[in-house]
């Protein structure tokens, strides 16, 4: 597995379903270790598993703390954290508490309420609980469709006099690989050229992930699957970091990186998009939230525009006015 880091690798982020950089592909956080009754069923003597906490262990996320974290994650980011996510929340917020030197979740909740720290801590809380798994040209069939069907159609419309203006949006872009993959398709299809006005918006709620997207620097192993010619056209090795490559300035200039919370209304966007990729984001939301976001994404498409969702997501039965044109790929009806 490319870029796999073992359990004891210090760079591995505890509770993350993947390392922050160069990691294995997985969206859903790893299942929590079983702490409840074993397969033999509950013991009559000890109905509640009591796990002794070694001295110096991180503060314990009690049931009430978990409920509070779940409520805040839902309210602030739309994240629906099921009961099975308790170990993940313990690990990720526990890490944050350690970084802050806080000894209890009570102290952490106070920090989230203190007007002098609340705004910054709210963002750190969201950053801790998002899952940013991504890779270049992930779920490649969507990019194949863009290259073989959508780009030639855009060229055909342009030759018939349509405006040479294209807007694409990676909504939930994580560290930017999806947005730069879109930009590469556009360049390779000749849709970034004199006379064309072409842009990609890369948005996410997680400011740490966005900082990586904006920097456009990636460990070499993240680019290993790209054809060498594509790699050298759009990336260059960093002279000051031997194992890293960075996006070429021309590609970087195509992509606007900005924070956007999909559950906030309204979105600060007036543009209508030719293509929206919102992949592997809706899985973190509950059904009513998915329905609302899908309707808003649909409304943000130009007539005939494309919406791509992730492999475990579907617009079926949730929104009107989208016609399937491929696996988890939809066209806005005109
Ligand atoms: C698994 S990544 C998907 C990355 C990329 N779209 C892909 O498929 O490879 C999910 C991303 O959704 C973002 N996200 C979660 N909730 C969000 C929200 N309310 N608004 C915007 N982005 C959100 C997370 O921060 C994370 O970066």
């Amino acid at each position: 597995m490319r870029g796999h880091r073992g359990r004891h690798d210090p760079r591995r982020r505890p509770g993350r379903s993947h390392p922050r950089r160069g990691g294995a592909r997985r969206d859903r956080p790893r299942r929590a270790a079983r702490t409840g009754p074993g397969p033999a069923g509950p013991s009559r003597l000890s109905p509640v598993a009591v796990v002794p906490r070694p001295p110096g262990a991180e503060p314990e996320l009690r049931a009430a703390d978990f409920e509070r974290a779940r409520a805040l994650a839902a309210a602030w980011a739309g994240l629906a954290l099921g009961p099975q996510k308790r170990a993940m929340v313990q690990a990720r917020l526990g890490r944050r508490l350690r970084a802050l030197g806080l000894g209890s979740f009570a102290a952490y909740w106070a920090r989230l309420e203190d007007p002098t720290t609340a705004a910054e801590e709210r963002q750190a809380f969201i950053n801790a609980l998002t899952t940013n798994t991504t890779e270049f040209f992930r779920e490649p069939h969507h990019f194949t469709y863009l290259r073989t069907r959508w780009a030639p159609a855009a060229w055909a419309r342009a030759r018939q006099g349509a405006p040479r203006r294209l807007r694409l949006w990676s909504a939930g872009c994580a560290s930017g690989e999806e947005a730069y993959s879109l930009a590469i398709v556009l360049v390779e299809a000749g849709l970034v050229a004199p006379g064309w006005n072409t842009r990609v918006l890369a948005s996410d709620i997680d400011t740490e992930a966005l900082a990586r997207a904006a920097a456009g620097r990636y460990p070499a192993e993240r680019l290993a699957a790209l054809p060498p010619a594509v790699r050298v056209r759009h990336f260059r090795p960093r002279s000051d970091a031997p194992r890293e490559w960075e996006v070429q300035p021309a590609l970087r200039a195509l992509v606007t990186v900005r924070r956007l919370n999909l559950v906030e209304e309204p979105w600060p966007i007036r543009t209508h998009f030719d293509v929206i990729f919102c992949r592997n984001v809706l899985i973190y939301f509950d059904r009513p939230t998915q329905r609302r976001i899908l309707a808003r994404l649909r409304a943000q498409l130009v007539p005939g525009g494309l919406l791509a969702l992730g492999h475990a997501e579907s617009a079926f039965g949730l929104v009107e006015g989208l016609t399937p044109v491929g696996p988890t790929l939809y066209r806005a009806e005109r």
Side-chain angles (χ1 to χ4, degrees), residues 247-292:
V247 173
Q248 292 276 10
L251 197 74
R252 176 67 191 83
L254 280 179
V255 178
T256 302
V257 177
R258 70 191 273 195
R259 184 183 183 279
L260 187 145
N261 181 353
L262 286 167
V263 299
E264 262 171 23
E265 295 189 37
W267 293 331
I269 297 182
R270 282 197 304 274
T271 309
H272 285 85
F273 293 91
D274 301 278
V275 175
I276 299 177
F277 273 39
C278 185
R279 307 187 309 163
N280 308 302
V281 180
L282 298 180
I283 40 167
Y284 298 101
F285 302 156
D286 64 17
R287 208 81 171 145
T289 308
Q290 291 179 356
R291 196 185 290 274
R292 275 196 301 278

Side-chain angles (χ1 to χ4, degrees), residues 164-232:
R164 297 185 172 211
R165 180 182 191 277
L166 295 172
R167 293 292 179 268
L168 285 76
W169 180 15
S170 167
C173 66
S175 40
E177 287 87 334
E178 183 177 85
Y180 291 120
S181 301
L182 289 172
I184 289 171
V185 169
L186 290 166
V187 173
E188 300 282 323
L191 294 167
V192 180
W196 283 92
N197 173 352
T198 304
R199 305 235 16 110
V200 178
L201 171 63
S203 74
D204 202 282
I205 195 174
D206 181 334
T207 51
E208 282 179 33
L210 285 174
R212 293 197 300 281
R217 299 184 192 126
Y218 299 97
E221 66 264 22
R222 305 284 296 173
L223 308 180
L226 297 181
V230 171
R231 188 165 64 228
V232 296

Side-chain angles (χ1 to χ4, degrees), residues 50-213:
V50 178
V51 182
R53 303 186 75 72
E58 66 192 22
E60 184 183 358
L61 182 84
R62 295 170 198 276
D65 295 318
F66 180 49
E67 288 313 314
R68 189 159 180 170
R70 287 172 78 179
L72 294 178
W76 291 342
L79 302 176
L81 300 172
Q84 77 283 7
K85 300 286 167 65
R86 184 163 166 179
M88 179 203 89
V89 173
Q90 162 83 65
R92 293 188 183 180
L93 291 185
R95 182 186 169 94
R96 178 71 187 150
L97 265 66
R98 275 201 307 282
L100 293 168
L102 297 178
S104 71
F105 274 91
Y108 187 61
W109 305 133
R111 184 177 165 84
L112 272 168
E113 281 175 3
D114 180 338
T116 64
T117 51
E120 181 195 342
E121 196 51 48
R122 177 189 287 215
Q123 184 61 56
F125 174 91
I126 293 169
N127 290 355
L129 293 182
T130 52
T131 296
N132 311 117
T133 311
T134 190
E135 62 188 45
F136 287 101
F137 293 97
R138 181 184 193 187
E139 298 179 38
H141 55 95
H142 289 149
F143 297 98
T144 303
Y145 187 95
L146 289 185
R147 202 163 35 78
T148 59
R149 308 284 295 274
W150 175 82
W155 263 114
R157 283 196 305 276
R159 285 194 198 97
Q160 288 166 5
R164 297 185 172 211
R165 180 182 191 277
L166 295 172
R167 293 292 179 268
L168 285 76
W169 180 15
S170 167
C173 66
S175 40
E177 287 87 334
E178 183 177 85
Y180 291 120
S181 301
L182 289 172
I184 289 171
V185 169
L186 290 166
V187 173
E188 300 282 323
L191 294 167
V192 180
W196 283 92
N197 173 352
T198 304
R199 305 235 16 110
V200 178
L201 171 63
S203 74
D204 202 282
I205 195 174
D206 181 334
T207 51
E208 282 179 33
L210 285 174
R212 293 197 300 281

